[in-house]
């Protein structure tokens, strides 16, 4: 039984009624966005990757997509591994474009030729998010593959010739963070206006590269720079892919606070149809080919505690701003404490925690 009625000695800022209301709403809600992993395989060897690089691809994608359509999912993000390595990638992209309101592809960009971009454009793919982690040498040091930078740049240029919207994703690590400004300049000069940023989380293959973690001060410097660039050009936008605890953010950076949407409006499904809390934590809560999402949510204690916040460790749980960041990134907490409901390491500045 989920610890929804758990009592602690301290005053709860997030009341029991709040928790139950959030849980009830969440159980009946169709997820807006699902990230669907097409393959675990990848042609790059990123040292930080949360995935496995195992050569296993989804063989049941048609059934999975059918189930997601029945569930009322609005938007799908095709990911991996490298999704474009799937032998049926173009066919899958077409089926998805015909089945969902919006389709995105998260890719390393190395297979995005003009021809492929033009097919994706014809199908009506909404957005392509290309991973690019710095200037040429740094990007290739991180991906481990020579030529991967230029191929991603060619991929960006190919997408720019189409109507598909483009975003680039930069994983913030100790190896590329000092190049962030130069990277933004280069991309901006190419016409890129949308950036997503992911803070490196030491999970999966990346768990043996903890030296890649960035400090809170480095992260704040990057966020401050994004605010500066946005103030100079309002069309230039930066999105943070994973949640940052509010208490880690000074007043001028509070615009970067967001709670993790995985497990409420967003789900992650692996190559076997397993529903995961998120791609990084890889905590399995059920299988979409065996049960409905509602049944999966109802039968998973970890899911219920995630959305209700019931098991989050007490400094966060008693914080009056808990509803804003919900304690930050659960995958980061899991990596740091071995506990999914533990403390996000960036929460260490919280007055209540010290
Ligand atoms: C696993 S990749 C899969 C899609 C595709 N191969 C790509 O490179 O975009 C999805 C995104 O997660 C990022 N990523 C992978 N491992 C990560 C980690 N440990 N921490 C933060 N972001 C990570 C990747 O750089 C990429 O932007």
């Amino acid at each position: 039984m989920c610890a929804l009625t758990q009592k602690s000695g301290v005053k709860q800022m997030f009341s029991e009624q709040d928790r139950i209301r959030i849980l009830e709403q969440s159980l009946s809600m169709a997820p807006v966005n699902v990230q669907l992993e097409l393959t675990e395989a990848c042609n790059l060897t990123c040292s930080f990757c949360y995935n496995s690089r195992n050569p296993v691809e989804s063989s049941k994608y048609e059934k999975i997509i059918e189930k997601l359509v029945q569930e009322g999912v609005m938007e799908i993000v095709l990911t991996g591994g490298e999704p474009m390595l799937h032998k049926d990638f173009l066919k899958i992209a077409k089926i998805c474009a015909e089945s969902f309101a919006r389709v995105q592809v998260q890719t390393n960009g190395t297979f995005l030729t003009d021809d492929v971009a033009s097919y994706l454009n014809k199908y009506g793919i909404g957005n392509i998010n290309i991973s690019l982690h710095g200037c040429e040498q740094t990007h290739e040091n991180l991906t481990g593959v020579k030529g991967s930078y230029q191929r991603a740049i060619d991929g960006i240029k190919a997408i720019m010739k189409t109507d598909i919207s483009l975003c680039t994703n930069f994983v913030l690590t100790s190896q590329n963070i000092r190049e962030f400004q130069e990277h933004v300049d280069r991309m901006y000069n190419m016409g890129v206006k949308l950036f997503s940023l992911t803070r490196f989380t030491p999970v999966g293959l990346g768990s043996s590269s903890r030296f890649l973690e960035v400090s809170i001060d480095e992260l704040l410097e990057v966020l401050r720079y994004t605010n500066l660039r946005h103030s100079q050009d309002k069309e230039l936008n930066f999105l943070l892919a994973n949640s940052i605890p509010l208490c880690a953010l000074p007043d001028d950076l509070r615009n970067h606070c967001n709670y993790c949407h995985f497990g409420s409006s967003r789900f992650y499904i692996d190559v076997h149809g397993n529903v995961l809390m998120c791609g990084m934590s890889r905590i399995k809560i059920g299988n979409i080919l065996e049960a409905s999402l509602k049944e999966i949510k109802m039968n998973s204690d970890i899911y219920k505690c995630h959305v209700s916040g019931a098991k989050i460790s007490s400094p966060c749980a008693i914080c009056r701003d808990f509803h804003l960041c919900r304690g930050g990134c659960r995958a980061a907490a899991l990596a740091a404490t071995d506990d999914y409901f533990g403390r996000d390491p960036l929460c260490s500045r919280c007055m209540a925690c010290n």
Side-chain angles (χ1 to χ4, degrees):
M1 180 66 189
C2 175
L4 274 175
T5 53
Q6 191 180 39
K7 293 274 181 288
S8 76
V10 283
K11 186 166 177 271
Q12 296 285 318
M13 306 300 291
F14 205 58
S15 77
E16 204 68 359
Q17 278 157 330
D18 287 338
R19 292 187 199 287
I20 291 165
R21 180 178 44 77
I22 290 168
L23 184 54
E24 281 171 354
Q25 280 172 352
S26 169
L27 287 174
S28 52
M29 202 165 75
V32 175
N33 171 300
V34 166
Q35 296 194 3
L36 179 61
E37 197 170 271
L38 298 185
T39 175
E40 290 177 16
C42 194
N43 57 323
L44 305 186
T45 58
C46 301
S47 44
F48 53 76
C49 190
Y50 63 73
N51 215 320
S52 68
R53 262 196 317 270
N54 288 334
V56 44
E57 66 175 25
S58 179
S59 55
K60 297 180 183 151
Y61 60 84
E62 272 165 311
K63 283 206 172 83
I64 295 174
I65 291 168
E66 203 180 301
K67 267 306 278 288
L68 295 177
V69 172
Q70 283 165 13
E71 293 273 355
V73 171
M74 210 174 87
E75 175 176 66
I76 195 148
V77 183
L78 302 176
T79 186
E82 174 44 49
M84 296 185 71
L85 269 183
H86 193 291
K87 64 175 182 343
D88 296 335
F89 172 74
L90 284 176
K91 177 181 166 193
I92 298 170
K94 187 165 187 281
I95 296 174
C96 286
E98 287 161 357
S99 309
F100 299 96
R102 185 171 149 89
V103 183
Q104 301 197 48
V105 182
Q106 173 66 56
T107 172
N108 61 38
T110 57
F111 298 110
L112 275 171
T113 58
D114 283 355
D115 280 352
V116 171
S118 130
Y119 275 119
L120 296 177
N121 191 34
K122 201 169 74 192
Y123 300 158
I125 301 300
N127 181 65
I128 308 267
N129 195 352
I130 300 183
S131 296
L132 206 56
H133 310 300
C135 302
E136 185 163 7
Q137 192 58 54
T138 307
H139 178 78
E140 293 183 359
N141 285 346
L142 285 165
T143 65
V145 174
K146 211 158 172 34
S148 56
Y149 178 84
Q150 192 51 51
R151 285 176 67 182
I153 294 288
D154 292 344
I156 288 174
K157 289 180 179 161
I159 294 304
M160 283 179 150
K161 291 178 200 157
T162 71
D163 305 320
I164 304 171
S165 83
L166 174 82
C167 181
T168 64
N169 187 43
F170 188 98
V171 176
L172 293 160
T173 72
S174 58
Q175 308 293 289
N176 61 2
I177 200 152
R178 276 170 297 280
E179 233 171 66
F180 180 69
Q181 299 190 6
E182 189 181 344
H183 168 75
V184 172
D185 272 340
R186 286 184 186 215
M187 292 298 107
Y188 186 75
N189 291 338
M190 280 178 64
V192 176
K193 292 284 182 100
L194 186 59
F195 291 79
S196 72
L197 305 178
T198 319
R199 67 171 148 131
F200 165 62
T201 309
V203 290
L205 293 171
S207 59
S208 49
S209 301
R210 281 186 180 262
F211 65 92
L212 290 175
E213 280 183 283
V214 297
S215 71
I216 177 73
D217 290 330
E218 288 171 317
L219 178 64
L220 296 184
E221 196 183 320
V222 161
L223 297 183
R224 200 156 277 126
Y225 183 69
T226 65
N227 280 7
L228 171 74
R229 294 299 300 256
H230 177 69
S231 72
Q232 293 165 344
D233 179 353
K234 293 280 187 257
E235 283 180 20
L236 176 57
N237 286 298
F238 298 87
L239 310 170
L240 264 180
N242 38 11
S243 167
I244 295 186
L246 184 70
C247 58
L249 296 166
D251 285 351
D252 61 324
L253 298 176
R254 286 192 159 212
N255 57 308
H256 291 287
C257 177
N258 200 352
Y259 66 88
C260 173
H261 289 260
F262 273 110
S264 45
S265 59
R266 185 177 299 168
F267 280 87
Y268 192 100
I269 297 186
D270 76 7
V271 289
H272 308 291
N274 293 318
V275 179
L276 310 183
M277 287 305 294
C278 70
M280 290 209 216
S281 68
R282 302 202 84 76
I283 291 182
K284 179 183 162 185
I285 60 169
N287 189 296
I288 192 70
L289 299 173
E290 291 161 10
S292 70
L293 268 174
K294 186 166 183 181
E295 286 163 341
I296 290 170
K297 291 193 271 185
M298 275 170 52
N299 292 326
S300 165
D301 277 357
I302 200 160
Y303 167 79
K304 287 188 276 190
C305 290
H306 175 85
V307 291
S308 69
K311 279 193 180 169
I312 296 286
S313 46
S314 69
C316 286
I318 61 165
C319 175
R320 69 167 183 274
D321 292 324
F322 178 72
H323 62 290
L324 293 176
C325 69
R326 303 175 63 79
C329 173
R330 294 296 95 217
L334 181 65
T337 66
D338 252 351
D339 176 5
Y340 184 79
F341 296 109
R343 206 168 75 190
D344 181 321
L346 293 189
C347 179
S348 58
R349 286 197 166 183
C350 172
M351 296 305 286
C353 307
N354 293 321

